[in-house]
Amino acid sequence: MTENNVRRLWTNDELDEALASLRAEEPTGRRTLAAANNALVNAVRSLEGKSIPAPETAPLTEFKGKPASRAGRRWWISAAAAAAVIAVGVTVVTTGADSSGPTSASAPRVKFLSVRQALNTAADKIHVIGETPVPAGKFRYVATRTWLLWNDSRVPAAFAGEQLTQTWQPSDFAGQWLLKTAPTGSRKWLIGDEQTLKAGTEKLNGGHGADLSEYWPSGEWRAAGGKFSGKAMAIVGRSADEWGAPTEQRLADLPRDPQQLYDLMAADLSVVNKPKLGGVLDIAAQLLNTGTLPADLKESLYRAVAKIPGLKVTEQVANLDGRTGVALGVDPVDGTFRMEIIVDPATGEFIGERRTRLKRDDNDITTAGINPGTVTFSSSVQTAVADEQGVVPPGQ
């Protein structure tokens, strides 16, 4: 045996603890066994310093020779478990789902057993890769697609309409920003269709159809340092305060210590006086939606969010406008809706947020007929670097 073949064996307790995190009750079909075999080979190759992994689609090898000894099997399992812990940094579980269907490259490859695992993994990734800086003379482009529910119990129609809000931030934060918003015209019907909406609103308004411009407005504004008016921010559905529209100095002054940052958000009057709105998670979402957070602040914010009492992983693979991540949510005290943020732990990217109805309330004309489980609001955020202000970068 050469020196390179020497490996530290795990103790029985260490191995048992690692294996205890695996879901032994999941079915072990051929596809699952093949995936496990490939993961095992890749783990050992990683430990041996080999850079070429076994292909993920490699067939399961059927061994026909002499069975391995108990000690031999023990070493292979220990090596694979050790590699998983080192490479991923979280406890993972296998799934019995058929992997032959379509998947997303950004979908989580592991199941996160806790909010802290998911957010800390995302924070670690931000620390490693940072965020794309804005070169001199260029602009940070932030596109937010918002889906807002329209419903009126007096009209047999309900739908979610899409609004696109775009921001161009210059490399010089204090320079002139551009903010634009407009409806895209895309709609997702929950009740009825265009004809029932037209007929119902004309009957309700004496022959006039509904004016939906207040729900999906259009506008364009310019302001130095991103200090848009409160009216402009309200039109695009954002707050004009230090959380929804932070200045460069504000971003620099916010604490990087996760506990201090959490305490600061928890002490905000919007959290103390209006806990039904989502509390600390709502403030964190406002900051993340700006698309302007420095990498170190975004990293600290994720670790601060992990401290929210009652926050939980609500969906392992949440799809928001075709992008997938882990959904982390909290139910406000009245239990009427669930608020979630969606984060891709593989990249540290904030994908967006959503609100889901938990209780049916037919006493309110804006929610009557809307069943529990319906997403009543969602927003997805994408950022890129633009060459010119007002021009959308390629691929966006």
Side-chain angles (χ1 to χ4, degrees), residues 33 50 60 63 84 113 120 175 208 215 242 276 301-302:
L33 290 173
K50 294 182 179 180
L60 175 65
F63 295 99
L113 303 184
N120 282 349
H208 300 285
Y215 293 92
E242 57 189 6
K276 293 182 179 181
L301 183 64
Y302 282 158

Side-chain angles (χ1 to χ4, degrees), residues 7-12 14-22 36-37 39-41 43-44 47 68-86:
R7 300 287 183 269
R8 183 185 74 85
L9 295 180
W10 281 14
T11 65
N12 288 344
E14 289 174 328
L15 180 59
D16 290 342
E17 182 178 354
L19 295 180
S21 66
L22 301 179
N37 178 72
L40 181 64
V41 172
V44 175
L47 285 177
S69 66
R70 292 174 57 88
R73 289 196 300 269
R74 184 84 176 197
W75 180 85
W76 278 86
I77 295 173
S78 298
V85 172
I86 292 171

